[in-house]
Amino acid sequence: MPEKLRDYERKRDPAQTPEPFTSRRSRAKAPVFVVQRHDARRLHYDFRLERNGALASWAVPKGVPLEPGQRVLAVHVEDHPLDYATFEGEIPKGNYGAGTVEIWDSGTYDLVEEKPDGGLTVRLHGKRLDGTWTLVPAHLDGKEQNWLLLRKRDETTAAAPETAP
């Protein structure tokens, strides 16, 4: 497993959980994204972007913002293997992240901008999410893992509000 996935591997036991431990490149020409509804200790959504051979991942407690100008907390968590982009299932009790994982949306994305501080602006092309979002490292409460996920105004595309998480 690549070095960047060591934290993922350390937190999970492949004999105990059905979660994937492989990282194969998808057939998509553009990088993929996935938003997973994760009903664990607390219901949240996991926002994942294919980056450098893994899925960069953020836990979004209140769900992905759908209206332009909205922003929510996004907690940066360990990278996940690329095969996690298609994972749905039950993580058994007693395991890290125990609970139900469902794919809420998935598709490809275009990288619009990458800032020196790690901030990203992406244009998502999914079934539910179609438009532009920005991830900003905000260091809220002095914690490096606290980011903000913002829905940007986009004249040509919009998220479907009737399918809000």
Side-chain angles (χ1 to χ4, degrees):
M1 181 163 288
E3 183 66 34
K4 67 181 342 186
L5 296 175
R6 293 281 181 234
D7 284 346
Y8 175 90
E9 187 177 54
R10 183 178 46 76
K11 293 177 178 183
R12 294 162 179 84
D13 179 353
Q16 299 286 320
T17 179
E19 295 168 282
F21 283 79
T22 56
S23 209
R24 292 182 298 265
R25 174 71 174 109
S26 70
R27 289 187 210 121
K29 290 181 182 176
V32 299
F33 84 92
V34 65
V35 176
Q36 290 161 312
R37 183 181 184 275
H38 190 173
D39 194 359
R41 190 173 32 145
R42 290 191 181 116
L43 176 63
H44 65 279
Y45 290 77
D46 292 310
F47 185 85
R48 307 188 198 282
L49 299 173
E50 179 180 349
R51 306 266 302 148
N52 304 317
L55 292 172
S57 300
W58 292 263
V60 185
K62 294 186 177 180
V64 176
L66 300 178
E67 295 297 322
Q70 284 183 327
R71 62 184 181 190
V72 297
L73 173 66
V75 180
H76 193 241
V77 298
E78 74 277 4
D79 287 350
H80 283 54
L82 291 175
D83 289 346
Y84 214 97
T86 58
F87 174 70
E88 289 188 293
E90 189 73 26
I91 301 170
K93 287 184 181 183
N95 287 277
Y96 179 78
T100 304
V101 176
E102 301 168 331
I103 294 175
W104 184 80
D105 195 17
S106 64
T108 61
Y109 76 93
D110 301 315
L111 180 61
V112 175
E113 182 180 20
E114 183 170 3
K115 301 237 178 180
D117 66 359
L120 300 169
T121 298
V122 295
R123 186 167 295 113
L124 303 179
H125 308 286
K127 297 170 193 83
R128 292 178 166 169
L129 300 176
D130 187 28
T132 306
W133 280 260
T134 296
L135 281 156
V136 179
H139 307 287
L140 303 172
D141 299 328
K143 296 178 182 173
E144 192 173 315
Q145 71 268 24
N146 287 342
W147 292 51
L148 291 174
L149 177 61
L150 299 91
R151 174 65 164 105
K152 302 290 278 184
R153 187 164 308 284
D154 191 334
E155 298 300 321
T156 60
T157 58
E162 68 275 6
T163 59

